């Protein structure tokens, strides 16, 4: 799932070198922390958060298949 977020983010931003995805395991499930440059933050979040919500929806499918809970945080 980390690779999926990395792939989507790298194709949205201009500064690919600053894309970082950190995988944090908690008792609740997995938290994926996405970091991008300030200039690319708007591209990743999208108008009214539509891109970010779409990324979360895409992550929901493989998480359900694996019986895990996944959340995406964008910093």
């Amino acid at each position: 799932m980390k690779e999926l977020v990395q792939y989507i983010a790298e194709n949205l931003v201009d500064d690919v070198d600053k894309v970082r995805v950190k995988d944090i395991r908690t008792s609740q499930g997995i938290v994926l922390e996405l970091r991008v440059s300030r200039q690319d933050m708007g591209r990743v979040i999208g108008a009214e958060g539509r891109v970010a919500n779409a990324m979360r929806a895409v992550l929901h499918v493989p998480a359900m298949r694996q019986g895990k809970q996944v959340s995406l945080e964008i910093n």
Side-chain angles (χ1 to χ4, degrees), residues 5 12 15 19-20 31 39 48 55 61 71:
V5 172
L12 289 172
D15 193 359
V19 174
R20 301 281 183 261
V31 177
Q39 294 81 8
E48 298 179 12
M55 288 174 64
V61 174
S71 63

Side-chain angles (χ1 to χ4, degrees), residues 30-48:
I30 300 171
V31 177
L32 295 173
E33 185 179 272
L34 173 62
R35 292 185 179 264
V36 296
S37 67
R38 280 196 179 272
Q39 294 81 8
D40 291 324
M41 189 65 78
R43 291 174 184 255
V44 173
I45 294 173
E48 298 179 12

Side-chain angles (χ1 to χ4, degrees), residues 7-59:
Y7 176 78
I8 294 171
E10 285 178 352
N11 285 289
L12 289 172
V13 301
D14 287 331
D15 193 359
V16 177
D17 295 331
K18 297 226 175 158
V19 174
R20 301 281 183 261
V21 181
K22 188 175 180 183
D23 188 358
I24 304 168
R25 306 212 182 252
T26 65
S27 59
Q28 313 285 307
I30 300 171
V31 177
L32 295 173
E33 185 179 272
L34 173 62
R35 292 185 179 264
V36 296
S37 67
R38 280 196 179 272
Q39 294 81 8
D40 291 324
M41 189 65 78
R43 291 174 184 255
V44 173
I45 294 173
E48 298 179 12
R50 289 187 182 135
V51 174
N53 287 334
M55 288 174 64
R56 289 182 179 108
V58 168
L59 281 174

